[in-house]
Amino acid sequence: MSWLRWQHSLALLVSGMFHAALIVWFQQQPPPAVANPQTLLVQLIPQSWAEQLKLSTLPPLPKSTELLPEDDAAPGMLFAGTRPRLPEPPTPKKPEVQKKLIVEADLLRPTVRKAPEPPPKLVEKPAPESEPSTSLNLSKILQELPTETSKTPEPEAPATTVVLPDSLLSDLELVALDAPENQQVSLDARRMSVVEARIYRTRLIELLAEHWEVPPHLADQDMVVEVRFVIARSGAIETGEILKKSGDRFLDRSVQGVLDSLPFLPSVPDSYPDSRYEFFLGFNPSTFPL
Amino acid sequence: MLLLRLARLLTPLLTLSAWLGLYSTVHALDYYEITNPRFTPLRVAVAMQPATSVKGLFVQSVFQSNLEQTLFFTVEESDSEAPAASPPEAPAFRLHLRVSREKPWLAFFVLRESGHEKPILEGQLEQRTGRSLRDLGRLLADRFTKATLGFPGLSFSKIAYTAQARGSRKNIMLTSYDGTQQKRFSYNLGSNNFASWDPAGKQLLYTTLTRSSAQIQLQHVDRYRAHILEFQELDRRTQPLAGSWSPDGHGLLLALMRQGSSDLYQYTFESGTLTPLVTWRSLETSPVWSPDGSRIAFVSDSARNREPQIHLYDPRTKRSERVTYKGRYNSSPRWSPDGRMLAYEGRRKGVFQIFKYDLLRRRHQQLTFGRYNSQQPDWAPNGRQLVFSSRKTGVTKLYYISAHGGPMARVTTSPPAVVETQPAWTH
């Protein structure tokens, strides 16, 4: 059994490195989303099934599929990978979409194989049209499915590169989809880069540390005051409150002084998708040894 | 059997995969940690009643000088009848002080915190027999520190140091905490160095070097005559270099030089015997007991010749442990009062700096960063400050610094021609 020890460790090490590389790759390059569910279906279903399902009646696929970032896959404000989930704006209910999603999910299961087989007595006893059919008519369903491209600009619109001159972000390139002048570019179509998040975090921490004055006797005291901020895109503070006090009145007062003295924080980078930015701060006066 | 092996092989992989997968899918809110604030002293406004009282102003000045030496407060005068300022501009504390016009001197005080009308401290201090009016200010400063920050003040502590005027020998001097009072302590024809306080703060041990010999001297604080310690077991070729007190006051740690090698010995007053502790072939100097008496910090160049490093020695297990590895010259270790830290000097890029070492976390922290030598640190009795000598102004003087680093403050106001080194704070 001794041979198992080093092999065990090696396998563990290789697996860990592989997964860590996967995580880093996923955080930096989220997996491309399929713009059109039809593409997914055609890719997943074998050709023989497609023929049986009469997928030839489907509308032709676009020549080049536009890859759009997904909300969950896009990196957040922090490199550690997090962006607060703000409450989504209310969207009109579409019960049909739910129905179709279920169908789509069912299609991905192995049991879908039974679906294309036509029932033997279907011609003799056709089901009334008003009743919901138990068999799947994919061509109809897929035509009714809303595509993701409906939320975004047209795929034929070329992607342009916007360079911001004379700013902290001048060395960064924001990739945005082009749009007519009168039509506002959807913020969801933009993507926050990790570099921008780092720059913003540095600016924010430097500004707050510069305005935070602490009595010297609190140095090296490992106490934390937790603060919640909600700021507008311009950096105007909408909410700034102490969530949890440290218990030391001097430290709590110093943090309250920061909240009282700062009307603005650094404006949120243009590529941040939401209109407000909520984050939390931990004010810790401890200094770290070398 | 094969399945068992396969299961053993796959179990950690699956566990790790589950962990990594879980970690990668967790979505938390943004959290930033702010850790480098600006450290600014707390403002204290003192209002005197009546404002023209000479005695009151004297007490106020003593209070101010002692309080500001802590590096935690800045004192400013205020009008007692002026309305209180709004919180951002208001001082953190307001002290109303009134001193009686006749003997016995009484100091009435009321201390309020900003934004609170209820006083956090009030009372009166009386000048007792044998105490000066200065003591009222010191007492007030200590009570203020205790009431506001929660740890004892240092106004009644003393610092012994070696002073050398231009063209004269080195002498042991004593200074008060605020540096306003100094007096010469050693009166002999030798060069006096390495002062060490006994645990009670009543006696000083120091080394007197003459052209022909070195002697360990013991002197009471209130007396001018010193007693020379003679060790009967030593021959003439053995010279004492320096000594320090044991925490219980019953013995000494001595560094004795014999035939070019310095070793560490323990001397007990009751028995009058010398016990060898560390007798390596290298040079061992600067022995200091830990406050609990369990360990000894000393300096040895056992690793490389003429490259001293700090070591710890346990007399019970007779085991030693090297503490410093970075830099080629680390010396002058001093224990913090709680025994958790060691302050020392280390040479980095040709300049001596002050460091502290956390024995629990095993981390070193640099406290001074100037391009001038800062050496020979010693801890304050409350562990909140350090005193050390520095050539900040071109002449070596004593300075205070917070135990967490930051700005420095001069201890004394001696003339530039006087060099101040080797400070030792009372315990």
Side-chain angles (χ1 to χ4, degrees):
Chain A
M1 294 299 287
S2 62
W3 62 272
L4 200 57
R5 295 179 182 172
W6 68 268
Q7 202 175 32
H8 183 273
S9 305
L10 183 64
L12 196 66
L13 184 64
V14 170
S15 173
M17 291 174 63
F18 176 72
H19 283 78
L22 269 182
I23 289 172
V24 171
W25 185 77
F26 266 90
Q27 284 185 345
Q28 293 182 350
Q29 294 182 345
V34 179
N36 197 333
Q38 298 176 8
T39 312
L40 180 66
L41 281 174
V42 172
Q43 288 175 354
L44 289 178
I45 297 176
Q47 187 64 27
S48 58
W49 297 8
E51 292 174 356
Q52 292 177 2
L53 290 169
K54 298 178 183 178
L55 284 180
S56 57
T57 58
L58 292 175
L61 293 173
K63 291 180 180 178
S64 62
T65 54
E66 187 70 27
L67 302 183
L68 297 175
E70 292 179 344
D71 285 341
D72 290 339
M77 291 296 291
L78 264 182
F79 181 67
T82 60
R83 177 161 59 88
R85 290 191 170 187
L86 294 176
E88 297 180 354
T91 53
K93 291 184 178 179
K94 294 179 179 179
E96 299 176 0
V97 175
Q98 286 186 353
K99 213 179 217 176
K100 288 158 192 168
L101 283 177
I102 293 171
V103 171
E104 182 182 348
D106 290 338
L107 279 174
L108 298 179
R109 293 176 185 170
T111 53
V112 179
R113 289 187 177 187
K114 298 177 182 177
E117 295 178 1
K121 299 178 182 178
L122 189 62
V123 181
E124 297 175 2
K125 296 180 180 179
E129 292 182 1
S130 58
E131 293 181 1
S133 61
T134 53
S135 64
L136 298 174
N137 191 349
L138 273 181
S139 58
K140 281 187 177 180
I141 292 171
L142 292 177
Q143 282 178 357
E144 292 174 359
L145 272 176
T147 59
E148 290 190 14
T149 50
S150 61
K151 299 178 184 176
T152 58
E154 293 297 322
E156 56 266 16
T160 58
T161 300
V162 181
V163 179
L164 303 176
D166 299 333
S167 75
L168 286 174
L169 310 177
S170 59
D171 56 339
L172 302 173
E173 293 183 353
L174 300 177
V175 177
L177 298 176
D178 202 0
E181 291 181 358
N182 296 331
Q183 184 179 352
Q184 190 177 1
V185 176
S186 170
L187 292 174
D188 293 333
R190 296 184 175 183
R191 181 179 162 190
M192 183 73 179
S193 73
V194 177
V195 180
E196 273 187 328
R198 281 187 178 174
I199 292 175
Y200 182 75
R201 177 178 62 177
T202 305
R203 288 178 60 197
L204 187 68
I205 290 177
E206 284 180 356
L207 177 76
L208 290 167
E210 185 182 350
H211 284 77
W212 185 29
E213 295 183 353
V214 176
H217 73 279
L218 293 176
D220 267 1
Q221 301 292 315
D222 196 10
M223 298 181 292
V224 180
V225 180
E226 294 178 359
V227 174
R228 172 179 170 266
F229 269 111
V230 178
I231 62 174
R233 295 190 58 84
S234 64
I237 298 175
E238 295 181 359
T239 305
E241 56 183 357
I242 293 180
L243 291 181
K244 184 181 177 184
K245 294 185 176 181
S246 65
D248 186 278
R249 63 184 190 277
F250 297 108
L251 185 59
D252 296 340
R253 195 179 300 158
S254 69
V255 175
Q256 187 62 48
V258 175
L259 300 182
D260 296 339
S261 63
L262 278 179
F264 284 95
L265 290 178
S267 58
V268 180
D270 291 340
S271 60
Y272 184 68
D274 296 324
S275 60
R276 295 191 306 167
Y277 178 39
E278 179 184 16
F279 56 94
F280 295 87
L281 297 171
F283 288 83
N284 188 346
S286 65
T287 55
F288 299 101
L290 300 175
Chain B
M1 192 65 183
L2 185 64
L3 285 176
L4 182 65
R5 288 181 179 176
L6 194 62
R8 285 185 178 177
L9 188 66
L10 288 180
T11 302
L13 292 178
L14 293 175
T15 309
L16 184 66
S17 304
W19 263 98
L20 292 175
L22 181 67
Y23 185 74
S24 60
T25 55
V26 166
H27 291 276
L29 292 170
D30 281 357
Y31 184 86
Y32 307 101
E33 191 165 29
I34 316 295
T35 54
N36 291 312
R38 287 195 304 160
F39 291 104
T40 53
L42 293 167
R43 291 169 54 210
V44 179
V46 180
M48 170 64 65
Q49 285 181 336
T52 56
S53 168
V54 178
K55 303 294 183 188
L57 289 175
F58 179 74
V59 172
Q60 179 184 342
S61 69
V62 173
F63 167 79
Q64 178 174 350
S65 60
N66 279 280
L67 204 63
E68 288 184 337
Q69 289 287 48
T70 64
L71 305 175
F72 299 144
F73 299 100
T74 55
V75 180
E76 55 194 49
E77 295 181 3
S78 76
D79 189 359
S80 60
E81 297 177 355
S86 56
E89 290 82 19
F93 298 101
R94 288 174 286 125
L95 178 69
H96 292 267
L97 188 64
R98 183 164 60 87
V99 177
S100 62
R101 294 175 182 267
E102 298 174 354
K103 285 189 177 181
W105 305 116
L106 298 173
F108 304 96
F109 62 92
V110 179
L111 176 62
R112 289 188 177 87
E113 196 171 345
S114 178
H116 298 80
E117 280 304 315
K118 185 180 179 182
I120 59 174
L121 186 68
E122 62 179 332
Q124 71 175 31
L125 300 174
E126 182 181 357
Q127 182 199 14
R128 295 175 183 170
T129 308
R131 284 195 165 186
S132 63
L133 194 61
R134 182 183 299 273
D135 290 343
L136 284 185
R138 289 176 177 169
L139 203 57
L140 189 60
D142 278 359
R143 293 194 65 177
F144 184 96
T145 307
K146 180 71 175 173
T148 53
L149 302 184
F151 49 81
L154 301 165
S155 301
F156 288 96
S157 64
K158 294 175 185 148
I159 295 171
Y161 63 97
T162 300
Q164 184 180 26
R166 199 170 292 167
S168 64
R169 298 184 182 88
K170 291 181 179 178
N171 280 308
I172 303 295
M173 301 280 290
L174 295 182
T175 178
S176 61
Y177 175 62
D178 58 357
T180 55
Q181 289 183 307
Q182 297 158 40
K183 78 169 183 179
R184 182 177 171 180
F185 183 70
S186 63
Y187 289 88
N188 54 49
L189 297 179
S191 181
N192 303 285
N193 297 275
F194 310 121
S196 174
W197 289 95
D198 76 325
K202 296 295 183 184
Q203 298 181 92
L204 264 175
L205 189 78
Y206 58 90
T207 307
T208 301
L209 302 172
T210 62
R211 288 185 178 180
S212 59
S213 66
Q215 295 170 335
I216 299 289
Q217 309 231 21
L218 195 61
Q219 184 174 340
H220 196 275
V221 175
D222 299 328
R223 295 175 186 171
Y224 294 99
R225 177 166 291 183
H227 297 283
I228 300 174
L229 287 182
E230 294 183 355
F231 308 102
Q232 297 177 354
E233 300 176 19
L234 298 184
D235 53 7
R236 288 188 176 181
R237 289 181 299 179
T238 304
Q239 301 282 350
L241 286 182
S244 64
W245 289 84
S246 65
D248 55 4
H250 296 311
L252 300 174
L253 274 177
L254 297 173
L256 303 179
M257 176 72 83
R258 178 183 293 174
Q259 296 179 346
S261 174
S262 172
D263 297 321
L264 305 184
Y265 288 81
Q266 183 179 4
Y267 176 75
T268 310
F269 285 116
E270 294 178 356
S271 60
T273 56
L274 277 171
T275 307
L277 290 178
V278 181
T279 55
W280 299 344
R281 298 180 68 181
S282 52
L283 288 174
E284 285 78 44
T285 57
S286 307
V288 193
W289 281 104
S290 63
D292 59 355
S294 62
R295 283 184 290 182
I296 296 169
F298 66 99
V299 176
S300 172
D301 64 347
S302 58
R304 282 189 179 183
N305 191 25
R306 296 183 181 179
E307 291 186 7
Q309 300 292 341
I310 296 173
H311 294 69
L312 295 179
Y313 177 75
D314 191 339
R316 296 174 186 171
T317 61
K318 299 187 185 304
R319 287 185 177 180
S320 64
E321 173 192 0
R322 183 173 165 182
V323 170
T324 55
Y325 288 89
K326 193 174 182 181
R328 293 185 173 183
Y329 198 109
N330 297 291
S331 65
S332 302
R334 290 291 183 274
W335 293 89
S336 65
D338 57 2
R340 295 172 57 188
M341 302 268 189
L342 269 178
Y344 65 94
E345 65 181 29
R347 191 172 62 194
R348 302 289 184 271
K349 297 180 181 177
V351 179
F352 281 96
Q353 306 285 1
I354 304 295
F355 294 83
K356 72 174 181 181
Y357 174 69
D358 190 330
L359 284 104
L360 294 178
R361 293 191 291 179
R362 293 181 178 271
R363 296 289 180 88
H364 299 263
Q365 183 176 1
Q366 186 171 345
L367 300 179
T368 59
F369 294 90
R371 302 181 71 178
Y372 39 82
N373 287 335
S374 299
Q375 295 176 273
Q376 300 153 349
D378 195 14
W379 291 86
N382 62 4
R384 300 286 178 158
Q385 276 183 288
L386 290 162
V387 62
F388 62 99
S389 61
S390 177
R391 280 179 63 90
K392 185 178 181 181
T393 57
V395 182
T396 305
K397 296 287 184 184
L398 299 188
Y399 287 86
Y400 290 127
I401 193 171
S402 170
H404 314 294
M408 302 156 53
R410 274 283 302 273
V411 177
T412 65
T413 55
S414 60
V418 178
V419 174
E420 302 169 346
T421 54
Q422 300 166 3
W425 215 323
T426 49
H427 297 290

